[in-house]
Amino acid sequence: MTKEKTQWKEFLEAISVLQWVLSFLFLGVACYILMVYLMFTSLWPLCTLYFIWLVSDWHTPERGGRRTIFVRKWRVWEHFRDFFPVKLVKTAELNPNKNYILGYHPHGIMSAGAFSCFSTDSCGFTKEFPGVRPSLAILAGLFRIPVLRDYIMSAGMCPVSKPSLVHLLSKNGKGNAVVIVIGGAAESLASSPGLNTVVVKERKGFVRLALELGADLVPVYSFGENELFKQVIFSEGSLSRRLQDLFKKIMGFAPCLFVGERFAFLPYRTPITTVVGCPISVPKRVTPSEEEVDHYHGLYMEALSKLFHEHKVKCGLSESHELQIT
């Protein structure tokens, strides 16, 4: 029998998730405002020293970052995990003597499953895959924001830029698993309860990189990710959708109009099951041909579709539910 949660436990879970959502949405802007404000107070020397240090530390995110086990093991992430709850499912072993690119699907609104499984130790990734270090790759622009960059680096996140990925997969030894949310901002605009749409048909850069570095590909599907928020989805070609696409093109992320279950920002308590698929062996090619890229891209899409259909019923979907690959 499942132990019933106390009101205090439910409160801690809700606060843990709420602080994460607010950090996701507003922490970057808050850090900018704080630094500017402090420059006009008696603490301006502290800010000056920080910026001097920032210049010298500018390239650290693209050189493996600065992961801190202390932050990844914060108790708050356990409450975060239990709110939904988030569960990590292993389907095959990952050899710690190899490197991997894990393709995470779908993006959802905030990729809560990806954060919980790969940027904290709350879901037991290191126990399930001993010797493998996960690094969630996110927008490179976030690592240019003072203070925020240090916070997200401490969780083991890295920029989703080629120099960063090349460093982790070729200059950082073995046992590295870089997690890329393949669909990115475009996929977030398709996030809505009841829909399982992934944007991957034209996304081949991660496959080319895997071939160049000899990193195996691993599909990951997170059931429940799209159920956390309700989103207003504008039709293709509408003025609102064109504005979203323009913003996405300029800023790198899409402004989604969404609402949660409570207080607008608190997501629905929907279970998230993140299933890590079987690795696809990829040879190393200094200059991969288009045919090789297309071949392994096709294998990846087949493996992703197979992973979805093998686990959809166990994760609460009907047998007739289909995965839409665009």
Side-chain angles (χ1 to χ4, degrees):
M1 292 181 63
T2 303
K3 185 178 179 181
E4 186 176 350
K5 295 179 182 179
T6 64
Q7 288 187 335
W8 176 244
K9 171 62 174 171
E10 289 186 347
F11 173 75
L12 289 175
E13 290 174 2
I15 290 296
S16 298
V17 172
L18 186 60
Q19 66 82 25
W20 178 79
V21 171
L22 294 178
S23 296
F24 183 97
L25 295 173
F26 305 119
L27 186 56
V29 174
C31 287
Y32 273 131
I33 294 174
L34 176 64
M35 297 306 288
V36 171
Y37 168 75
L38 290 178
M39 286 298 292
F40 293 93
T41 68
S42 59
L43 294 176
W44 69 264
L46 184 63
C47 291
T48 303
L49 289 173
Y50 176 81
F51 281 116
I52 292 173
W53 175 80
L54 181 62
V55 171
S56 66
D57 193 60
W58 191 250
H59 296 291
T60 295
E62 294 185 338
R63 295 170 180 166
R66 195 163 38 243
R67 173 188 307 250
T68 306
I69 297 299
F70 169 71
V71 173
R72 291 176 61 91
K73 289 184 177 292
W74 275 350
R75 185 67 184 275
V76 66
W77 306 135
E78 295 179 13
H79 295 310
F80 177 94
R81 174 202 62 200
D82 295 340
F83 175 88
F84 301 100
V86 183
K87 180 183 179 183
L88 180 70
V89 175
K90 171 185 177 180
T91 63
E93 296 289 342
L94 295 183
N95 187 341
N97 293 317
K98 303 192 75 174
N99 287 327
Y100 302 90
I101 293 179
L102 275 61
Y104 182 88
H105 311 268
H107 184 288
I109 299 295
M110 299 183 187
S111 300
F115 175 81
S116 186
C117 291
F118 306 117
S119 290
T120 80
D121 288 345
S122 63
C123 293
F125 183 92
T126 53
K127 292 181 181 178
E128 293 289 347
F129 303 101
V132 180
R133 297 177 299 277
S135 299
L136 180 60
I138 61 175
L139 280 176
L142 296 175
F143 294 87
R144 301 187 184 102
I145 301 176
V147 182
L148 175 64
R149 68 189 293 276
D150 303 295
Y151 177 44
I152 57 181
M153 272 198 292
S154 67
M157 298 186 202
C158 65
V160 64
S161 64
K162 188 165 184 178
S164 170
L165 303 182
V166 168
H167 180 92
L168 285 170
L169 296 172
S170 66
K171 301 176 182 178
N172 200 44
K174 299 297 182 181
N176 297 290
V178 175
V179 184
I180 303 176
V181 185
I182 305 297
E187 202 170 83
S188 69
L189 293 175
S191 172
S192 185
L195 296 179
N196 285 279
T197 302
V198 297
V199 179
V200 69
K201 276 187 178 179
E202 302 302 321
R203 305 287 174 107
K204 300 180 181 181
F206 72 102
V207 178
R208 185 181 302 279
L209 184 67
L211 282 162
E212 290 174 352
L213 302 175
D216 287 359
L217 292 168
V218 183
V220 178
Y221 199 88
S222 204
F223 294 90
E225 185 71 63
N226 283 346
E227 312 297 319
L228 305 184
F229 296 96
K230 293 180 179 179
Q231 181 185 190
V232 178
I233 298 181
F234 299 107
S235 59
E236 290 291 342
S238 66
L239 176 61
S240 298
R241 185 55 178 261
R242 291 203 302 269
L243 290 173
Q244 283 182 316
D245 290 338
L246 177 62
F247 188 94
K248 172 169 66 72
K249 185 176 181 180
I250 296 172
M251 301 299 294
F253 65 94
C256 302
L257 295 181
F258 65 89
V259 63
E261 185 175 21
R262 285 185 290 166
F263 312 118
F265 295 125
L266 198 64
Y268 287 81
R269 282 183 181 265
T270 302
I272 301 174
T273 305
T274 301
V275 186
V276 180
C278 298
I280 302 167
S281 184
V282 177
K284 187 173 182 178
R285 298 284 188 267
V286 177
T287 308
S289 66
E290 288 301 322
E291 291 75 17
E292 287 177 313
V293 173
D294 289 342
H295 173 70
Y296 284 99
H297 184 255
L299 290 180
Y300 179 86
M301 288 195 293
E302 289 176 12
L304 176 62
S305 181
K306 181 182 178 182
L307 183 70
F308 176 85
H309 289 294
E310 284 182 349
H311 293 270
K312 63 183 180 181
V313 175
K314 301 174 189 175
C315 296
L317 299 180
S318 65
E319 188 65 50
S320 61
H321 210 108
E322 293 296 325
L323 176 67
Q324 299 178 30
I325 300 180
T326 61

